[in-house]
Amino acid sequence: MIPVEDAQEIVLHNVVVSDAEGVPLAEAFGRILRQPIRADMDLPPFDRAMMDGYAVRAEDTVRAPARLRVVGEVLAGMTFSGAVAPGEAVKIMTGAVVPPGADAVERVEKTEREGEWVILREPVRPGQHITPRGSQAREGEIVLEPGIRIGPAELAVLASFGYAEVQVARRLTFGVLSTGSELVAADARPSSGQIRDSNGPTLRACLAMAGVVGQPLGIVPDDLTLIERSLRSALERCDGVIVTGGVSMGEADLVKIALHRIGARVFFERVRLHPGKPFCFATCEGKPIFALPGNPVSVVVTFLLFVLPALRRMLGCREERLPLIEATVTEDATHSIERRSYLPALVWFSEGQAFVRRVPWEGSSDLVGFARANALLVLPEGVASVRAGERARVLLLPWGELR
């Protein structure tokens, strides 16, 4: 049994960064950027009006109120053919090019129009309500670094600098295999001694959250030959495999035997962790195999701690592990000191401070209790309890809603 950090390092050291591929901009959302993005022009490419109003020379307004002659109008997408001379103003719209000679814009609400004249009631300062050319980005400047997930804001940057196609991490596919003779599909009515498989849908959702395709491999009973056959088939068509169940110490726990039979290299079989101790990591022909415990909460905890960082490394993400925050514990929490615990918890914020308490649950099979959590409260090895009022580390669930 090895510590959590050791297990994480072993996993990360034994996965390989995937290839990149070019995709159209319209298909880049949610993908991991794999090239530096450089500005192909200054942004904005001209001095740009921030408000509807009048482009003026600031020095003409020093002795406000100032009466200026309006000599033209410029709309967004147009340019003014002349220049603003002393005593003149040009009506301007938001986003339009500030005409030569003008060095400020006064918004229309602070002006009065009298025929061909406009009256500015207050002085304006140079640069007022103008976004200078190149203030957001200079031509040639790197504006996005590789390794980030492309979201709406990143798409806007890509479009602004002409990236109609962009290099992203190749879409990975991981097989998801549930083992156990007690399992039936979600649309089946369990008979005596049976339960529905929740791990398959859970892991496919977790993979989708990570930007990875989850390939359903179905349910395999506790039969060594069938498990071995399913693993071999999955490795032929997927970038890796996640299998749940069959990794503990019982007679029907056959996954580790199957891993050895297919020639996989098993790096470790147990982690000093609760829930999730019987977590096994292996590789076969360079492809990772994650063998997770069968209990639903253990599945999610081990996915977040080990599988997700590995996927992020394979995709080339800059940030591989989920961040931890500190929160004030509002109720006493105890655990076994032999292993590190990641306990389902509820985090909320009040007056800028984070608070956390455990949610009621009955162990690693209690998926209903776990569904009430938005975080995992981390209790370290060697510490029997955390008292109300003390600070503790918390891992926020990526899909959890903060309150």
Side-chain angles (χ1 to χ4, degrees), residues 9 31 55 68 135 155 199 237 253 276 350 380:
E9 288 302 322
R31 306 292 290 272
L68 306 173
S135 61
L155 282 174
N199 290 336
R237 50 200 174 102
D253 293 318
S350 178

Side-chain angles (χ1 to χ4, degrees), residues 270-305:
R270 296 193 300 166
V271 182
R272 199 171 295 136
L273 170 68
H274 171 72
K277 178 176 70 172
F279 170 74
C280 176
F281 172 67
T283 59
C284 186
E285 297 181 354
K287 296 183 178 182
I289 303 171
F290 301 96
L292 281 53
N295 282 329
V297 181
S298 299
V299 165
V300 175
V301 170
T302 51
F303 180 90
L304 294 177
L305 292 180

Side-chain angles (χ1 to χ4, degrees), residues 140-398:
E141 176 186 350
I142 294 178
V143 291
L144 293 177
E145 297 281 357
I148 62 171
R149 188 174 298 276
I150 299 173
E154 290 76 16
L155 282 174
V157 172
L158 291 167
S160 295
F161 295 115
Y163 283 83
E165 182 175 294
V166 61
Q167 290 291 310
V168 299
R170 177 178 62 82
R171 183 82 76 182
L172 299 176
T173 298
F174 264 67
V176 178
L177 176 66
S178 299
T179 71
S181 298
E182 75 279 15
L183 298 179
V184 296
D187 58 355
R189 182 75 179 180
S191 61
S192 178
Q194 293 182 322
I195 58 173
R196 293 187 176 98
D197 172 36
S198 65
N199 290 336
T202 297
L203 284 170
R204 292 195 296 276
C206 287
L207 288 168
M209 175 197 69
V212 175
V213 176
Q215 178 67 47
L217 302 177
I219 300 168
V220 177
D222 295 317
D223 181 294
L224 181 58
T225 300
L226 293 179
I227 294 173
E228 179 184 346
R229 185 183 303 160
S230 296
L231 289 172
R232 290 186 186 278
S233 174
L235 289 169
E236 289 177 357
R237 50 200 174 102
C238 299
D239 297 293
V241 181
I242 306 175
V243 55
T244 62
V247 292
S248 192
M249 306 298 289
E251 292 183 4
D253 293 318
L254 304 172
V255 169
K256 289 183 286 188
I257 299 174
L259 290 174
H260 287 290
R261 287 178 59 164
I262 66 172
R265 179 185 176 186
V266 177
F267 291 88
F268 57 83
E269 299 179 2
R270 296 193 300 166
V271 182
R272 199 171 295 136
L273 170 68
H274 171 72
K277 178 176 70 172
F279 170 74
C280 176
F281 172 67
T283 59
C284 186
E285 297 181 354
K287 296 183 178 182
I289 303 171
F290 301 96
L292 281 53
N295 282 329
V297 181
S298 299
V299 165
V300 175
V301 170
T302 51
F303 180 90
L304 294 177
L305 292 180
F306 307 110
V307 183
L308 182 58
L311 295 174
R312 288 182 168 184
R313 174 158 291 190
M314 295 176 73
L315 292 170
C317 296
R318 295 178 67 185
E319 300 294 334
E320 295 170 344
R321 304 183 193 186
L322 292 174
L324 295 168
I325 68 168
E326 281 202 350
T328 300
V329 179
T330 61
E331 299 174 3
D332 293 354
T334 60
H335 79 130
S336 173
I337 64 173
E338 287 81 16
R339 292 179 284 165
R340 183 180 306 172
S341 293
Y342 289 79
L343 306 177
L346 185 67
V347 167
W348 69 98
F349 289 85
S350 178
E351 298 181 350
Q353 299 292 320
F355 298 88
V356 61
R357 65 172 174 82
R358 291 184 60 179
V359 298
W361 73 308
E362 298 181 359
S364 58
S365 63
D366 186 1
L367 48 81
V368 175
F370 184 64
R372 303 186 184 103
N374 64 4
L376 297 171
L377 173 61
V378 184
L379 300 183
E381 308 93 319
V383 177
S385 64
V386 177
R387 301 300 180 188
E390 294 181 346
R391 303 280 285 175
R393 293 190 302 165
V394 174
L395 188 152
L396 299 178
L397 298 177

Side-chain angles (χ1 to χ4, degrees), residues 14-39:
N14 287 281
V15 294
V16 179
V17 178
S18 68
D19 298 330
E21 63 180 358
V23 298
L25 181 62
E27 299 175 11
F29 178 74
R31 306 292 290 272
I32 303 301
L33 182 65
R34 291 287 287 273
Q35 69 175 108
I37 301 301
R38 295 183 180 273

